[in-house]
Amino acid sequence: MENLVFIGDWIKDRVLGSGSFGVVVLWKHQKTQERLAIKTCKWGDELTEKHKERWTKEVEMLQNCQNPNIVGTKQLPPEFKEGLKPVNPSKLPILCMEYCAGGNLRQYLNLPESCNGLREVQVRQILGDMRSALQFLHHNKITHRDVKPENIVIHVLDGPGNMDNGLQGKKKVIYKLIDLGYAKEIDSNSVCASFVGTLQYLAPEIFYSKTYSNSVDFWSFGLLAFEVICGTRPFLPFMAPVQWMAHVKVKTHDNICIYETFHGDIKCSNEMFPENFISKPLKASLEQWLKVALEWDPKLRGRDAPSKVTFNIPSEEKETSSNVVIFNLLETILSKKIMKVFSVATLTHYAYEIDDKTTAFMLKKWIQDDTHIPVEEQILISQNYVITDGEDTVMKYWDENSISVYLYNKQYLIEEKSDIIVPEIVQRSLKPSLPVELIQNFKNCQLLHRNGFYFVMSQMELYDSLIKGLFVRAESLKNESKELVLRHNFVDKNIGKLHVKEETLKKFTTMGKEHVQNLKANGVGTNLLGGFEKLFKEADELSDDISKLQNAWSQLTVRLESAARRRIEGLSTDLNNFISKFNYQALFTKGQTVYVSYKKIENYNDSKGRDKISDVIQLIKDCFKLRNKILMEIRNQRFYCSIKDLSIELSKISEIITNASNFSETLDSHSNSLTDKLSNCMWSTISLLSSDAHNLVDLPYSVVSIQKSNFKIGEPVSTHCMKMVQSTNRVEEDENLKSLIEESLTLRQNHIKLTEKFKTSKNYLHNKAKLDFSFLAED
């Protein structure tokens, strides 16, 4: 194979991998640039029939497996059939596969920055892609039997629009399962009984040479999931399988991790190691899933109840059959929406599971429980805009790849004292009384290097989030200033309209006061004017309130104009200058060097080992110093002070505008109500005068005399009179009074009648005196 370089237009690029009896070579077409991964068997007649059968089976299986997460096969170009004969002495089928340029997962896990696991976006995709691949194989009754990071390759997608923003501009990838050489079809009449696969990923039943089913893939999948999250396997990774299996055998269903403590004790845990890069809600959900995947009993593993059924084949179903839940459960977990929140105030990352019904107020309540920042003091910003309490849902702000929301406190930008999360072994390493032999222990030394570098990376991420949070706040302040101007103008128009109403009302009340004053001076109609006096007083009070509002509003306008003129355009330059002066890049590079170099030391008890320990301890100390220096220096920066002051000022102005808007609405409502009251009072008075004038004796403006009044005893003179309530002990007196009034009125009426008769007789006599009586005279 080494001497074979050209086959037609194809040129050998490099060897991708070599196994016990197979080799995979990358070939590149010189004209089309197409690449193919071609696997050939490097042995000849010395191969056993079992090996030949395994090889042929792998080729057939791959050709029949059409799934995006299983490496695909391609048609072998004709020229290779002849060209590869010299390097294929066994004459077994040649496997032609698609080329995955991203390497395999083990290479990524071996990187120093992956020492404590991969980032959440990568973890999610790996678990989702492997779920798809294994579910497909099991559905087709195929057990892989060798699931491990080395057998997962990374296919990089080409073409425009295939950039993944969640991976800092890297191209999108697909994870594919390869190497079905150990895979075996299982039907209703067979189970596996061969010792295959990588020892560290073997399920217990394979290790003990027992018969097994496809549940062995569940175990390997669980180990793989734990490793990509935490950077290490869950069960005593420093021991050989024959050692750690004995401890795993006695674990409970809830135990998903067995580890050796700092002092050498063996302990079980229901949780993953806290030093990882995934969010707490996802971590909690996956811990429940790992309990199902890492169940010791293969009858329980991956299922919801004990079962001896390998696949859900109707002919095999028993009364005690159960369902495979491991794939659907994982799919449900990965479909959950987790909103990541970074608190600039406390320099802490938070995460919350949300759905379509999660409101901004609910999110703030959760944050209050974690940070103790009251809901009313929180400022949540996403996409440079403030999230208000009135938001129906926060789902529109969710971003699966990065921080969705930044949290700020209205009272301050960064707390004076913020908590810092430090791995336990890092804390121990800084104690001067720590015995040297304990820290030089191989297991402790490796853990110190891993968690020490993780501590540097976690502080670097916090710093990056802080800088991004300051940029976000600066941009949001620009938008907030514009929105406040719009809100101010809207309220200003309403106050202007209120002022017009107040002027109209003032003219109306001024005229009313003058008219009432004239009536009082003439002593006319004063018995009906008490209600107007009360309304005039309310109008004066309303006018005073409106005047106070206008004065305060004028001051606020000046204040807002001053705040809007404050320029923070130079913030980007100032921030970039600060970042160039203070950053973790040098520490990160140093941490990589320290971590890589310690792996090359075989004996940690010699002088070189002690030097490496001192290097990582110094790295940790430098990280603490840099953090403290950054937090001290940043508070004295101009951009920090500008953001803090303007944030507080705009927050106060916003509160004042809100209060002024509410107050103006209240005054407007009061003005409308008062106008209605005055109108009703005026028209009621006019109605009273027009409807009851003929029954009243002494009404203002009335020309009707009391002599022409016609009313009955016991009835009110006016329909607007209130009936007096009589006490029982005065009934007799009232009856007597009534009788006297009736007699008096009778006498008055008789007197009027007699007077009328007298007038009639007088007129008659007067007219009679004018008659001519001359005929009565004597001659």
Side-chain angles (χ1 to χ4, degrees):
M1 179 66 77
E2 294 181 358
N3 297 327
L4 188 61
V5 179
F6 295 98
I7 296 179
D9 291 329
W10 295 86
I11 183 173
K12 179 182 176 182
D13 190 295
R14 66 182 185 275
V15 176
L16 297 176
S18 179
S20 56
F21 55 93
V23 59
V24 181
V25 177
L26 176 63
W27 291 84
K28 181 179 179 181
H29 197 280
Q30 298 181 73
K31 295 180 180 179
T32 64
Q33 304 301 311
E34 182 184 1
R35 296 182 180 185
L36 294 176
I38 297 179
K39 184 176 182 179
T40 56
C41 184
K42 60 185 179 182
W43 300 104
D45 295 338
E46 59 269 34
L47 284 175
T48 65
E49 290 300 321
K50 186 176 182 179
H51 286 154
K52 291 180 180 180
E53 180 184 357
R54 170 189 161 187
W55 182 279
T56 304
K57 199 71 174 177
E58 178 184 8
V59 174
E60 292 177 354
M61 283 185 179
L62 273 177
Q63 290 175 342
N64 293 327
C65 288
Q66 302 298 322
N67 183 274
N69 298 116
I70 297 176
V71 67
T73 59
K74 291 192 173 185
Q75 186 71 32
L76 184 68
E79 54 266 40
F80 280 100
K81 294 179 180 179
E82 289 295 327
L84 291 178
K85 280 184 178 181
V87 294
N88 187 28
S90 64
K91 299 180 181 180
L92 288 173
I94 297 173
L95 184 59
C96 182
M97 300 173 290
E98 61 178 333
Y99 170 61
C100 298
N104 64 51
L105 185 56
R106 174 56 66 195
Q107 293 170 324
Y108 276 83
L109 288 173
N110 286 339
L111 294 175
E113 53 267 35
S114 303
C115 61
N116 278 70
L118 304 178
R119 299 307 190 267
E120 181 168 325
V121 62
Q122 295 171 296
V123 170
R124 280 178 170 273
Q125 187 172 0
I126 292 169
L127 297 185
D129 289 352
M130 289 304 99
R131 179 202 64 80
S132 172
L134 290 174
Q135 190 172 25
F136 174 83
L137 290 177
H138 289 192
H139 180 74
N140 289 278
K141 303 179 181 62
I142 298 174
T143 304
H144 189 280
R145 303 197 292 176
D146 196 21
V147 178
K148 58 184 179 181
E150 291 80 357
N151 284 339
I152 298 173
V153 294
I154 304 165
H155 176 62
V156 181
L157 297 176
D158 295 324
N162 288 326
M163 301 300 291
D164 192 335
N165 295 328
L167 296 175
Q168 299 178 343
K170 295 181 180 179
K171 289 187 175 181
K172 292 181 180 180
V173 300
I174 298 177
Y175 295 89
K176 295 176 178 280
L177 192 59
I178 64 169
D179 198 358
L180 271 64
Y182 287 123
K184 183 166 183 176
E185 292 187 72
I186 302 178
D187 56 28
S188 59
N189 298 316
S190 66
V191 291
C192 298
S194 57
F195 191 80
V196 297
T198 305
L199 294 181
Q200 290 290 0
Y201 292 87
L202 283 177
E205 56 269 31
I206 298 180
F207 187 80
Y208 288 111
S209 299
K210 296 180 180 180
T211 58
Y212 57 88
S213 67
N214 61 351
S215 64
V216 298
D217 286 345
F218 302 158
W219 180 271
S220 302
F221 192 16
L223 295 181
L224 171 72
F226 194 101
E227 185 170 4
V228 297
I229 295 170
C230 297
T232 184
R233 293 184 301 277
F235 302 127
L236 300 167
F238 302 103
M239 296 183 181
V242 67
Q243 295 175 295
W244 62 258
M245 279 288 181
H247 295 283
V248 177
K249 187 176 183 179
V250 296
K251 82 177 186 70
T252 66
H253 167 75
D254 292 334
N255 298 150
I256 61 172
C257 177
I258 301 177
Y259 64 99
E260 187 177 346
T261 67
F262 186 78
H263 295 283
D265 300 324
I266 304 298
K267 285 192 174 182
C268 296
S269 175
N270 300 343
E271 300 178 357
M272 290 184 279
F273 300 122
E275 294 80 20
N276 58 69
F277 296 100
I278 67 172
S279 58
K280 288 185 178 180
L282 180 62
K283 176 177 177 288
S285 296
L286 288 176
E287 284 169 348
Q288 298 303 314
W289 177 80
L290 284 171
K291 293 176 182 179
V292 177
L294 297 178
E295 173 61 54
W296 174 270
D297 189 346
K299 298 176 183 178
L300 291 169
R301 190 183 308 139
R303 297 175 175 271
D304 56 1
S307 174
K308 295 182 179 180
V309 181
T310 302
F311 295 99
N312 292 328
I313 302 174
S315 61
E316 288 188 339
E317 290 185 357
K318 310 292 183 182
E319 293 181 359
T320 59
S321 65
S322 62
N323 298 314
V324 174
V325 297
I326 186 170
F327 296 127
N328 291 338
L329 180 58
L330 181 58
E331 184 178 17
T332 300
I333 292 172
L334 297 179
S335 66
K336 293 180 179 179
K337 305 295 188 299
I338 297 176
M339 177 167 280
K340 298 176 183 177
V341 178
F342 178 71
S343 171
V344 176
T346 60
L347 299 180
T348 311
H349 288 280
Y350 299 97
Y352 305 95
E353 183 181 327
I354 64 171
D355 55 31
D356 294 332
K357 297 181 181 178
T358 304
T359 63
F361 182 75
M362 293 169 60
L363 180 61
K364 285 188 174 184
K365 286 290 292 182
W366 297 338
I367 292 174
Q368 177 179 272
D369 294 339
D370 288 337
T371 65
H372 304 295
I373 299 176
V375 170
E376 59 273 11
E377 297 296 331
Q378 297 176 25
I379 301 175
L380 299 183
I381 299 178
S382 180
Q383 304 167 11
N384 297 333
Y385 287 94
V386 176
I387 301 176
T388 62
D389 291 343
E391 298 278 356
D392 293 334
T393 176
V394 295
M395 182 63 76
K396 61 182 177 181
Y397 300 111
W398 170 72
D399 186 343
E400 64 177 332
N401 295 326
S402 60
I403 296 172
S404 301
V405 174
Y406 289 87
L407 168 67
Y408 308 85
N409 192 308
K410 290 182 179 180
Q411 303 301 322
Y412 52 83
L413 198 53
I414 302 177
E415 282 184 341
E416 288 296 326
K417 293 183 180 180
S418 56
D419 295 333
I420 178 172
I421 301 176
V422 183
E424 181 181 354
I425 195 167
V426 172
Q427 297 180 44
R428 289 178 179 274
S429 68
L430 298 177
K431 293 181 180 179
S433 59
L434 183 70
V436 177
E437 59 273 13
L438 285 178
I439 201 67
Q440 288 180 348
N441 172 277
F442 172 77
K443 180 265 304 175
N444 289 338
C445 186
Q446 187 183 59
L447 185 61
L448 176 61
H449 278 81
R450 285 178 50 233
N451 286 356
F453 187 37
Y454 167 81
F455 178 67
V456 173
M457 288 188 290
S458 63
Q459 293 305 306
M460 185 177 181
E461 282 197 357
L462 284 176
Y463 179 64
D464 290 343
S465 298
L466 170 61
I467 297 300
K468 180 67 180 299
L470 293 177
F471 272 112
V472 168
R473 187 60 181 137
E475 290 299 317
S476 72
L477 287 174
K478 296 178 184 178
N479 297 326
E480 193 173 336
S481 178
K482 295 177 183 177
E483 290 178 358
L484 283 179
V485 171
L486 294 176
R487 287 177 56 197
H488 169 274
N489 294 341
F490 177 78
V491 177
D492 189 70
K493 290 180 181 179
N494 290 339
I495 292 178
K497 294 177 181 178
L498 180 62
H499 178 66
V500 172
K501 290 184 179 181
E502 186 252 347
E503 289 293 328
T504 303
L505 187 62
K506 185 183 290 185
K507 290 181 179 179
F508 185 83
T509 54
T510 301
M511 293 175 62
K513 288 178 183 178
E514 294 176 355
H515 198 61
V516 170
Q517 190 65 34
N518 292 334
L519 291 175
K520 285 184 177 181
N522 297 328
V524 180
T526 57
N527 58 319
L528 298 174
L529 301 177
F532 284 102
E533 292 287 344
K534 180 181 179 183
L535 294 177
F536 292 157
K537 184 178 180 181
E538 290 185 22
D540 290 339
E541 293 174 351
L542 175 64
S543 182
D544 290 341
D545 289 340
I546 294 175
S547 179
K548 292 177 182 178
L549 173 62
Q550 287 178 321
N551 292 333
W553 187 251
S554 298
Q555 296 176 12
L556 177 70
T557 301
V558 174
R559 189 172 176 180
L560 177 59
E561 289 175 352
S562 174
R565 284 196 300 268
R566 297 185 193 179
R567 298 298 180 186
I568 52 175
E569 301 298 337
L571 178 136
S572 297
T573 302
D574 292 343
L575 259 175
N576 289 328
N577 291 337
F578 184 82
I579 296 171
S580 62
K581 185 177 180 181
F582 299 96
N583 61 73
Y584 283 82
Q585 191 57 49
L587 271 183
F588 178 77
T589 303
K590 182 181 178 181
Q592 284 181 315
T593 303
V594 171
Y595 183 79
V596 171
S597 62
Y598 104 90
K599 285 188 172 182
K600 300 178 181 178
I601 305 298
E602 295 182 358
N603 185 2
Y604 290 87
N605 293 318
D606 60 16
S607 59
K608 290 184 178 180
R610 287 191 292 272
D611 290 342
K612 295 304 176 185
I613 293 173
S614 62
D615 288 345
V616 70
I617 292 178
Q618 186 60 47
L619 175 72
I620 294 168
K621 290 181 178 179
D622 291 342
C623 187
F624 274 104
K625 291 179 181 178
L626 180 58
R627 173 190 168 93
N628 292 335
K629 188 172 185 178
I630 287 174
L631 293 180
M632 181 177 64
E633 291 290 336
I634 200 170
R635 289 186 172 90
N636 299 322
Q637 298 300 310
R638 182 176 61 180
F639 65 81
Y640 180 89
C641 296
S642 298
I643 293 174
K644 181 184 68 174
D645 295 343
L646 190 56
S647 176
I648 294 174
E649 177 68 358
L650 293 183
S651 178
K652 291 180 178 178
I653 291 175
S654 176
E655 185 177 353
I656 294 173
I657 290 177
T658 300
N659 292 337
S661 177
N662 295 336
F663 190 40
S664 67
E665 290 178 2
T666 301
L667 293 179
D668 185 71
S669 177
H670 189 190
S671 175
N672 294 334
S673 176
L674 187 56
T675 301
D676 291 340
K677 287 180 180 179
L678 281 168
S679 179
N680 289 336
C681 188
M682 181 181 68
W683 285 108
S684 295
T685 304
I686 294 174
S687 299
L688 177 64
L689 293 172
S690 61
S691 62
D692 293 338
H694 65 283
N695 291 326
L696 301 177
V697 177
D698 188 21
L699 285 176
Y701 322 116
S702 177
V703 293
V704 182
S705 66
I706 189 67
Q707 286 80 2
K708 291 188 177 181
S709 298
N710 183 18
F711 56 89
K712 297 180 180 180
I713 299 302
E715 292 184 356
V717 175
S718 169
T719 57
H720 294 275
C721 293
M722 296 179 63
K723 218 170 187 180
M724 297 296 295
V725 179
Q726 298 178 348
S727 58
T728 54
N729 59 352
R730 298 184 59 187
V731 172
E732 186 176 351
E733 295 178 2
D734 290 342
E735 289 296 330
N736 294 333
L737 178 61
K738 182 177 179 180
S739 178
L740 289 173
I741 292 174
E742 288 177 347
E743 290 178 1
S744 176
L745 288 174
T746 301
L747 291 173
R748 185 176 182 83
Q749 288 175 355
N750 292 334
H751 179 266
I752 291 172
K753 291 179 180 180
L754 289 173
T755 302
E756 289 295 331
K757 289 181 178 181
F758 174 77
K759 286 182 179 181
T760 301
S761 300
K762 186 178 181 181
N763 290 335
Y764 173 77
L765 292 174
H766 177 70
N767 292 332
K768 186 178 181 181
K770 294 180 180 180
L771 295 175
D772 185 8
F773 293 101
S774 58
F775 68 92
L776 294 178
E778 295 181 355
D779 295 335

